[in-house]
Structure formats: structure tokens, C-alpha cells
Amino acid sequence: MSDVSDRPNRFPWPPVIYCVAIAIAIVLGFAVPLPWVPSPVSDLLFAFGWLLVVGALGIDIGAMRTMARHRTTILPHRGSAHLVTDGPFSFTRNPIYLGNTMLTLGVGLISGIAWFLPLALIAAFVTQKLAIEREERHLYARFGKRFRDYAKRVRRWI
């Protein structure tokens, strides 16, 4: 890996991780379907899934717009030019990854494919290990005390 102050990763892990999780969930949903809850609970889960998807898209778009306003990269394998702490970043240090996890969970609830649920959590864990922890080291190397103070104030996920 290159110097952590230059960039956190050489490869953009998070989008790949979530796409692989979604693909595996779909394949497993057809190959090894798990039982789903009956109606009316399934109807409530379907509605909640749509709320998760809408919320996820709102968080993702808000985070992307905030990063663009601060003129820093959204790409997870590029170095950050500025420490962003407002907008969605004021309640989670990783709003895009939170949004991706919510989106994956929401699609699982909408589709009724139970495999989405554990795979969303696995994707979040793998993202934390392969991306978030490295990104945090990068941000600390770039912004020092400012990032440490921000990390004390705002949780990693929620």
C-alpha cells in the first residue's frame, strides 16, 4: 500500500464489496431460498424496505453533494483534500457506507430474499476492515487532531 497520507487504498473496495454481496444474495435466493415471513408481517417489512431504500438514497446523495461542495473526492481509493464534518457527516463518519448497507437491507426486505440481510452485515464488516479502518488512518495522517476530535464526536456508523 502507498503512504497512508497519500491515499487510503489502491483499490476501491466498498462498491465492489456491496455489489458482490448483492450478487451473492440474488444467486443464493434462487439456488437456496430461505423461508420468508408470512403476511401481514411481510407487508410491513416490504414497506419498511422502501423506507430504508429512500433513506439510503437520501443519505448517499446528501453525502455526495456535501463532498462535492467541499471539493474532496468521493472515490474510496483517493486521498482526501478536506475533512468533511457537516451534512450527513455530522451524524456518521461513513454516511455512504451506511447508505449502502441500508440500501442492501432495504432491497432484501422488498424482494423477500432473506440472504440480503446477513450479506448486508457481512459487507458492512468487510468494508470496515478493508476500507474504513484504512481511511481513518489516512484521515488521521492528513488532518491529525482535527480528525481525532471529529472521531470523538461522531460515531463510525450510527
Side-chain angles (χ1 to χ4, degrees):
M1 188 166 80
S2 68
D3 181 28
V4 72
S5 64
D6 289 341
R7 62 182 180 177
N9 278 306
R10 290 180 183 263
F11 186 78
W13 288 110
V16 172
I17 292 167
Y18 283 96
C19 286
V20 167
I22 289 168
I24 291 171
I26 292 169
V27 168
L28 287 173
F30 287 108
V32 187
L34 295 176
W36 192 244
V37 293
S39 195
V41 175
S42 64
D43 298 334
L44 293 172
L45 292 176
F46 180 83
F48 184 66
W50 278 109
L51 290 175
L52 278 175
V53 167
V54 169
L57 292 174
I59 290 170
D60 279 344
I61 292 168
M64 291 178 210
R65 293 182 71 190
T66 302
M67 292 177 85
R69 192 172 60 248
H70 285 276
R71 299 181 191 271
T72 194
T73 185
I74 190 173
L75 301 175
H77 63 295
R78 299 279 170 85
S80 294
H82 303 284
L83 181 62
V84 180
T85 61
D86 61 326
F89 293 90
S90 66
F91 67 87
T92 175
R93 294 194 315 252
N94 299 287
I96 295 174
Y97 304 149
L98 175 62
N100 292 346
T101 303
M102 289 171 56
L103 186 65
T104 306
L105 290 169
V107 169
L109 295 176
I110 292 166
S111 67
I113 299 174
W115 286 107
F116 274 92
L117 309 179
L119 284 163
L121 299 177
I122 291 168
F125 176 78
V126 173
T127 297
Q128 181 168 319
K129 291 301 176 189
L130 291 180
I132 292 172
E133 291 175 8
R134 292 176 183 180
E135 290 172 7
E136 288 178 347
R137 286 192 299 270
H138 164 74
L139 293 170
Y140 183 73
R142 297 277 296 213
F143 304 108
K145 183 178 179 340
R146 285 182 53 220
F147 177 72
R148 188 176 66 239
D149 291 346
Y150 169 65
K152 286 180 184 177
R153 265 191 346 267
V154 178
R155 292 177 180 259
R156 181 180 279 162
W157 285 96
I158 50 173

